[in-house]
Structures are given as C-alpha cells and as structure tokens.
C-alpha cells in the first residue's frame, strides 16, 4: 500500500501525521504506540512490537507499508536514525544473544575488551592535554565533579583519588538531585574547576552542569569518549577514553584506568605529597586491620624511606633551636 505522499526528508512522526486520515483502526493503534515509545520501538523486532501493541505481525508490517516504507525493516531502520548511540548497546546485546556462548567465553571476551580499551586509550592520549589537566586540578581553589548514572560511581572514585592531593573536592551527584548541584555551582568562579564525566549514552544533566560552570567563568575538564561528545565543545581540556564493549553500554574499566592515571599524576605533582599521604594514613589508622594498637610513630614508619610525617620537620627545628 502506498500513501502517494512525498516522504523525502520526513521523519517517521511526520509520515504518521500525513497518513493518519487513511490508517485503519489497528494501524492507528500501532501509530499511537510508536509515537509514545519511539526509542522502545527502535529496539523491537516486528514480532515483539506486534505483541506489545496487541496486533498481528501482518498488521505491524502493513502499518509500515501504509507509511510508504518497503516493510517493517525499513521502517525500523528509519526510526533508529537519530537514536544510534542510544540503541547501539541493545542491538549489540541482541546480536550476542543470537549466538549462544559459554560463561567462560563471556568472561574471556569482557576481560579482553577491557584490555583493548585501555590500550586504545593509552595510544590515543594527548599528553599535552594530560599535563594541562593536572595543572588545572592543582591550581583550582575548588573542584566540582559532575557525573550521573554509571558515571556517578566513576566520579566518586575520581573524588576519592583527588581528595588526598587537593584542598576542596566536591561531588555534585547526591540524593538532592541535579538541581542542588546547579545551586552549588553558583558559588563557582574563575579560580575553580568543573570536571564532567559522560559517556554514551550521554546524560543531559552533566552537560547542563558544564554549561552552568562555564557561565560562572569556571574552567571545564571533560572525561568523555570522543570529540563529538556533547561535553567536548564545553571543555577547556578534554581527555578521551575508549569504552566500546559487547555486553554493556560502556566499558568502565578503561575510564577507571584513566582516572587512576590522572590522580596518580596529580599526586606526584602535588606540593607536600608525602606529608599529605602521612596525614591520611594517620587519620584512617583506627580503621586499618592490625594497626589499632600501634602508636602513631609506628604507623608513620610505614611511609617510604626518607619521608617524614607532617609536622616532623617543624618539631625537629624547634628542638634544635
């Protein structure tokens, strides 16, 4: 069935609107479902769409033809356009499930993908950008870290890694939600740094907070996957990480490796790094297994050879005066 409508350059929603007067009741039922759940439909084969709507497979296929598509496959391909980055993980998983494999093979594949992503990230790193990122972090008065969804966990690890080297590191993702994060950023300024983490599928919360930070004159450091990321154009410095994987939306292992490299470099360049490490060790001593009964002096001896805990040099100077 052809609608005899010029469909060049029209979206699926526009085609539905143009064909609506000629659609049957069952076709309108499918149309309503498509308009309400376009992203879901983009991931469904024809039998699953028919079951979700409550029509036959033949009706779903005739609906696609009523919109002047060759069939359901062409209709779905058109619907996917614009959703590629969103539906790609679902399509990859569907393809993998179509080829049964063993648990051992899944473990081997996932570990091998992590290794390849870390190596690809290492090979593509811009070390001038890495140096600039470290300098921005060390010069910042306050550091605000924004990451949501899976990136919230990575943002927490980044805060944990920077906390020992920087005076004021704040996580913006919290139970208060993104509006509280936006309020917090109103205190940011040119002396501060916003670090945003987002990977496919990108979350608008992180991008919106980066825009707010930028508007406050705050520098922006992006940890993302590619220059086409919506976060990249807002960044003063961007570090890119390869995250492709077969079974999940992203490979977080490679992002964590990049975070560990970044925080290690910051710790190495931070002033009084050994003294800071000593203060942290002293602070957590009561919670370290086997160290509860040790006096502070013995815990301090766990530092590298030649290092002294914070305040030791001052005490020695005072004793000799």
């Amino acid at each position: 069935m052809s609608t005899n409508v010029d469909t060049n350059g029209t979206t699926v929603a526009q085609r539905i609107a143009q064909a609506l007067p000629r659609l049957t009741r069952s076709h309108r039922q499918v149309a309503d479902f498509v308009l309400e759940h376009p992203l879901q439909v983009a991931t469904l084969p024809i039998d699953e769409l028919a079951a979700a709507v409550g029509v036959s497979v033949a009706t779903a296929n005739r609906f696609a033809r009523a919109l002047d598509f060759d069939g359901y496959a062409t209709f779905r391909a058109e619907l996917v356009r614009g959703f590629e980055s969103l539906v790609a993980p679902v399509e990859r998983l569907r393809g993998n499930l179509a080829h049964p494999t063993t648990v051992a093979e899944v473990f081997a594949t996932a570990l091998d993908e992590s290794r390849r992503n870390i190596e690809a990230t290492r090979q593509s790193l811009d070390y001038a950008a890495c140096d600039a990122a470290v300098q921005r972090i060390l010069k910042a008065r306050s550091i605000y870290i924004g990451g949501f969804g899976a990136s919230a966990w990575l943002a927490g690890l980044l805060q944990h890694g920077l906390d020992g080297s920087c005076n004021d590191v704040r996580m913006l993702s919290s139970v208060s939600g993104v509006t509280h994060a936006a309020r917090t950023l109103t205190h940011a300024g040119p002396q501060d740094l916003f670090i945003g983490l987002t990977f496919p599928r990108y979350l608008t919360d992180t991008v919106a907070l980066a825009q707010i930070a930028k508007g406050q004159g705050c520098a922006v450091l992006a940890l993302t996957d590619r220059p086409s990321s919506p976060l990249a154009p807002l960044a003063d410095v961007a570090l890119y990480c390869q995250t492709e994987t077969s079974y999940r939306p992203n490979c977080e292992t490679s992002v964590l490796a990049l975070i560990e490299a970044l925080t290690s470099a910051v710790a190495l360049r931070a002033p009084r790094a050994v003294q800071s490490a000593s203060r942290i060790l002293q602070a957590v001593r009561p919670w370290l297994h086997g160290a509860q009964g040790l006096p502070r002096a013995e815990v301090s001896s766990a530092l590298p050879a030649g290092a002294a805990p914070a305040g030791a040099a001052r005490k020695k100077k005072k004793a000799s005066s």
Side-chain angles (χ1 to χ4, degrees), residues 136-214:
R136 295 269 186 179
I137 289 171
L138 291 175
K139 289 180 180 178
R141 176 186 61 182
S142 296
I143 298 171
Y144 301 88
I145 302 178
F148 297 87
S151 292
W153 306 99
L154 296 167
L157 291 170
L158 177 59
Q159 182 200 30
H160 178 75
L162 293 178
D163 197 49
S165 305
C166 306
N167 291 327
D168 186 21
V169 187
R170 309 183 189 188
M171 271 281 290
L172 293 178
S173 56
S174 69
V175 294
S176 301
V178 70
T179 55
H180 181 76
R183 290 177 58 187
T184 301
L185 277 177
T186 61
H187 301 290
Q191 294 178 289
D192 303 319
L193 175 67
F194 172 82
I195 305 178
L197 300 87
T198 189
F199 300 89
R201 298 161 279 193
Y202 310 108
L203 293 183
T204 56
D205 290 353
T206 308
V207 178
L209 291 179
Q211 291 171 333
I212 293 173
K214 198 78 173 175

Side-chain angles (χ1 to χ4, degrees), residues 78-300:
E78 179 64 23
L79 194 61
V80 165
R81 287 204 311 168
F83 289 139
E84 289 92 343
S85 63
L86 303 181
V87 303
V90 178
E91 293 303 298
R92 285 197 302 267
L93 180 59
R94 190 188 301 280
N96 289 325
L97 291 177
H99 301 87
T101 186
T102 65
V103 169
E105 288 171 334
V106 173
F107 267 71
T109 298
L111 291 171
D112 192 48
E113 285 177 342
S114 293
R115 178 188 60 78
R116 288 201 308 268
N117 279 317
I118 292 173
E119 180 60 21
T121 298
R122 186 188 69 81
Q123 290 183 358
S124 63
L125 270 182
D126 179 347
Y127 287 102
C130 294
D131 189 65
V134 171
Q135 291 184 41
R136 295 269 186 179
I137 289 171
L138 291 175
K139 289 180 180 178
R141 176 186 61 182
S142 296
I143 298 171
Y144 301 88
I145 302 178
F148 297 87
S151 292
W153 306 99
L154 296 167
L157 291 170
L158 177 59
Q159 182 200 30
H160 178 75
L162 293 178
D163 197 49
S165 305
C166 306
N167 291 327
D168 186 21
V169 187
R170 309 183 189 188
M171 271 281 290
L172 293 178
S173 56
S174 69
V175 294
S176 301
V178 70
T179 55
H180 181 76
R183 290 177 58 187
T184 301
L185 277 177
T186 61
H187 301 290
Q191 294 178 289
D192 303 319
L193 175 67
F194 172 82
I195 305 178
L197 300 87
T198 189
F199 300 89
R201 298 161 279 193
Y202 310 108
L203 293 183
T204 56
D205 290 353
T206 308
V207 178
L209 291 179
Q211 291 171 333
I212 293 173
K214 198 78 173 175
Q216 294 287 118
C218 187
V220 175
L221 167 60
L223 271 60
T224 189
D225 65 315
R226 63 193 69 189
S228 59
S229 161
L231 191 60
L234 299 169
D236 297 284
V237 181
L239 301 181
Y240 299 111
C241 187
Q242 180 74 34
T243 63
E244 292 186 3
T245 182
S246 299
Y247 299 101
R248 305 175 68 248
N250 288 291
C251 172
E252 275 87 30
T253 311
S254 53
V255 184
L256 177 57
L258 181 63
I259 287 172
E260 290 184 343
L262 176 61
T263 54
S264 296
V266 169
L268 182 64
R269 290 286 182 259
R272 300 176 62 81
V274 174
Q275 289 84 349
S276 296
S278 175
R279 287 196 299 272
I280 294 171
L281 181 59
Q282 298 288 6
V284 302
R285 177 178 64 91
W287 293 274
L288 298 178
H289 180 72
Q292 290 86 348
L294 291 177
R296 295 173 67 87
E298 290 192 35
V299 175
S300 299

